Amino acid sequence: MTFLYVAPWNPVYDRTSSIVDGYIDPYFGQNWELFAPDPIDYNPRVLVRAKVKDPSGWERHTGYIDIIEPELDKARGTLFASRVARLVGGARQMMTDADVEPVMPEGTEEDEEAEEEPAEEPDKEFQAQAIQHMTVIATLAARAKWGDGVTAVQVRVSDQVIPRWEDQDAEIDKTYGDFPWWTPAPVNAEAVRLWKDAHE
């Protein structure tokens, strides 16, 4: 599967791409941004907050928690890190690949660049899968942190741009964007427990 996924276009992949992509993405996806000429140049963050209703019926908004940092901590210094340590990063990459973009604050460079690019019709089915996948992850994180009273979840993505070697004196730029509030996905208690075990 991996060979077909990373190989140049060929008739076999053309006929089996839906099966191959379904197997590889999002957990086994290949990312070549480590290498020149365009190495990855930002630190990604995925944050989650929730609306939580207590037994009396009072609803509050929580603060954001970083759900990608625990996975990065587990992967650092580990030669064969568990695939669980890539759940959030894989979900975020899936959202990017599906062209599901967060709402950015007005006047950001991302908005200006996006306006210059020609719009292509996104794959609606893939977008729906990406949103569903991210919603499940946000729900697991929120339920693990705030319990069963979670009534809505929201995801914020944040990028801290790392200056290129020749621009070490450049000011570090940080951007963020928010997705809408989503209804929590149906997840069971065992899934929440497994999330806690893997991320805390």
Side-chain angles (χ1 to χ4, degrees), residues 47-141:
L47 312 171
V48 169
R49 69 173 176 166
K51 295 178 183 178
V52 182
K53 187 174 289 188
D54 66 20
S56 69
W58 182 70
E59 188 174 68
R60 66 184 175 90
H61 288 199
T62 69
Y64 283 101
I65 58 170
D66 187 332
I67 64 170
I68 203 170
E69 185 61 29
E71 293 188 356
L72 296 176
D73 282 344
K74 287 184 182 297
R76 289 186 185 106
T78 305
L79 188 58
F80 299 105
S82 166
R83 286 287 175 176
V84 172
R86 295 181 59 185
L87 283 172
V88 179
R92 177 169 180 183
Q93 187 62 48
M94 191 175 182
M95 295 285 278
T96 302
D97 293 344
D99 293 325
V100 182
E101 299 295 336
V103 176
M104 308 294 289
E106 289 185 15
T108 62
E109 290 183 13
E110 282 75 11
D111 279 343
E112 294 168 7
E113 290 173 3
E115 289 172 4
E116 296 172 4
E117 296 175 0
E120 293 182 12
E121 189 64 30
D123 182 335
K124 299 294 186 185
E125 184 177 346
F126 187 40
Q127 283 189 328
Q129 290 174 352
I131 292 170
Q132 181 184 30
H133 189 66
M134 184 61 88
T135 304
V136 169
I137 284 177
T139 303
L140 288 170

